[in-house]
Amino acid sequence: MSEVIAEIHGHIGCITLNRPKALNALSLPMIRELSAALLRWQDDPQVLAVAVRGTGKEGPFGAFCAGGDIRFFHQAAHAGDTALGDFFTEEYALNHLIHTYKKPYIAFMDGIVMGGGMGISQGASVRVVTERTKMAMPETNIGLFPDVGGGYFLGRCPGKLGEYLGLTGLMLNGVQAVAAKLADIALPSSMLEAIWSKLTSSPFENSEAVERWVLAQPGSMAPEKLAPQPQIDSVFGLPTVQAMLDALEAASDEWSQKTAQTLRARSPLMLNVVLEQIRRARSMGLADELRMERDMVHHCFHLRAVQDSETVEGIRALAVDKDHAPRWNPARIEDVTPEMVAPYFARPWPPTAHPLRDLAG
């Protein structure tokens, strides 16, 4: 059975991610199949809109996409496999295609939506979440940064929520995701099958009617703001990661203590890289932001020898050896200098040779 099922039903291009044992984590072949289907349908008059969902262990829905296939990243980095670079180039091009798609693209973000799963859903014109949604950009936990356009969409969250979510990797539920402007409507998961079925069987008059109909579903759940937003803005608006940590560790409330503890467990170097990424991304267009991320991810795997890469080490600790004891270098936030961060933003290619040079806008 294919890991991506792409079929036209009625007037809807239907995509089902079908790799439930891996929580629909994206492989390079899956990225290629997704891109091919979207390009095929973009000018097909029969297709008024595209709908995308994941498959859980029980069948459709229940899980969306846990991200990119990080075990593959680890193997490819050690093997010097050029497919690693192709993965990110093609994934980011797919993210751009979704953000700029000519037709409504409706993402049913039920269950886990992390990393690469955010990349194939944040550009959707309608982002549906449920009470089962577990949404996060947890890359600092594996010595990476929130890529797939993370700087772009996190930088556009209310206040300093983008910094908070990008640095901590905090998980949001569905109603929190709506409040964070990372989803458009929260619906009970029990409604999804019926909505999908109606989408594929209704004689919609045009693309706008499809979008309108999904957004007008009854029974949507009220957004729920993340507490404490004023505190988040005040701490995560500070100029440096060190200043944030100092403020958190000087406070005695539970939120501050917990947040400080979370930051202490993340890659100190990548926390600083991520802060710079999100702040730069706020004033960038999508294509330029994705090109910046492509530069950054190249450096994550090539700036240091493979065995010294923060990303390779982070993946080893979480997904390969599973000892959950990454040896970060430097080990402490206090030891990170601006000179360590700057190389991640250097341009490894001239503009005319950039892997994403053809992205528009």
Side-chain angles (χ1 to χ4, degrees):
M1 190 64 146
S2 172
E3 291 181 341
V4 174
I5 301 164
E7 302 166 328
I8 299 171
H9 293 287
H11 290 292
I12 308 296
C14 298
I15 294 173
T16 302
L17 304 177
N18 189 36
R19 198 185 174 200
K21 284 184 181 167
L23 293 169
N24 305 314
L26 298 173
S27 62
L28 185 52
M30 288 170 76
I31 287 166
R32 288 175 174 164
E33 286 183 60
L34 283 164
S35 302
L38 291 176
L39 291 169
R40 198 164 61 239
W41 294 338
Q42 190 152 245
D43 298 309
D44 183 337
Q46 187 188 336
V47 177
L48 294 180
V50 172
V52 60
R53 65 182 177 180
T55 311
K57 286 172 185 165
E58 313 298 317
F61 304 111
F64 183 66
C65 172
D69 188 342
I70 60 173
R71 287 167 171 277
F72 160 72
F73 300 169
H74 188 270
Q75 288 160 359
H78 276 288
D81 187 347
T82 55
L84 183 63
D86 295 340
F87 180 96
F88 293 110
T89 297
E90 295 183 41
E91 183 183 30
Y92 298 178
L94 170 62
N95 303 150
H96 183 269
L97 175 62
I98 290 167
H99 276 270
T100 57
Y101 206 58
K102 293 178 193 169
K103 297 177 178 180
Y105 175 99
I106 302 153
F108 289 89
M109 303 154 76
D110 188 30
I112 286 188
V113 190
M114 294 185 187
M118 292 284 273
I120 58 167
S121 56
Q122 281 306 313
S125 42
V126 183
R127 299 163 299 175
V128 181
V129 287
T130 74
E131 79 286 352
R132 299 190 295 205
T133 298
K134 293 185 167 113
M135 178 186 287
M137 290 299 282
E139 287 77 8
T140 54
N141 200 28
I142 55 161
L144 191 58
F145 60 91
D147 64 337
V148 297
Y152 182 82
F153 57 76
L154 289 175
R156 282 150 182 80
C157 289
K160 302 300 176 187
L161 209 47
E163 281 92 334
Y164 177 50
L165 297 174
L167 292 171
T168 61
L170 183 84
M171 192 186 292
L172 303 180
N173 62 32
V175 287
Q176 289 171 330
V178 177
K181 303 276 189 283
L182 295 170
D184 301 300
I185 184 170
L187 294 168
S189 57
S190 56
M191 292 175 65
L192 298 185
E193 285 281 9
I195 292 171
W196 188 272
S197 173
K198 194 85 193 281
L199 266 178
T200 57
S201 60
S202 297
F204 293 104
E205 53 188 316
N206 55 37
S207 294
E208 293 70 35
V210 181
E211 202 170 287
R212 254 194 329 268
W213 180 78
V214 178
L215 286 169
Q217 288 298 312
S220 66
M221 299 176 272
E224 183 188 295
K225 283 199 174 174
L226 271 176
Q229 183 80 43
Q231 220 173 334
I232 289 169
D233 291 346
S234 137
V235 172
F236 286 85
L238 290 168
T240 63
V241 175
Q242 185 64 63
M244 293 170 187
L245 196 63
D246 290 345
L248 291 166
E249 290 186 333
S252 55
D253 63 287
E254 191 190 352
W255 176 81
S256 298
Q257 289 298 305
K258 217 169 173 179
T259 306
Q261 210 177 345
T262 299
L263 292 180
R264 284 285 185 200
R266 305 293 183 245
S267 160
L269 175 58
M270 295 319 289
L271 287 175
N272 283 270
V273 169
V274 171
L275 184 62
E276 179 72 14
Q277 172 205 4
I278 291 170
R279 292 189 171 166
R280 285 188 184 211
R282 275 211 176 93
S283 56
M284 297 174 91
L286 176 66
D288 282 338
E289 200 277 336
L290 285 166
R291 279 189 276 267
M292 174 179 79
E293 290 188 0
R294 184 64 188 86
D295 296 345
M296 292 168 69
V297 83
H298 174 84
H299 293 310
C300 282
F301 290 99
H302 298 286
L303 200 58
R304 298 172 170 181
V306 172
Q307 65 274 16
D308 298 324
S309 155
E310 281 295 88
T311 311
V312 173
E313 171 58 16
I315 295 171
R316 178 206 65 75
L318 183 81
V320 180
D321 297 339
K322 299 183 182 176
D323 59 20
H324 298 277
R327 295 181 288 273
W328 301 129
N329 179 19
R332 295 163 65 246
I333 287 167
E334 287 79 357
D335 298 331
V336 180
T337 65
E339 292 71 31
M340 293 174 189
V341 174
Y344 285 87
F345 297 90
R347 294 182 171 172
W349 304 279
T352 51
H354 196 284
L356 295 175
R357 61 190 171 278
D358 296 331
L359 295 189

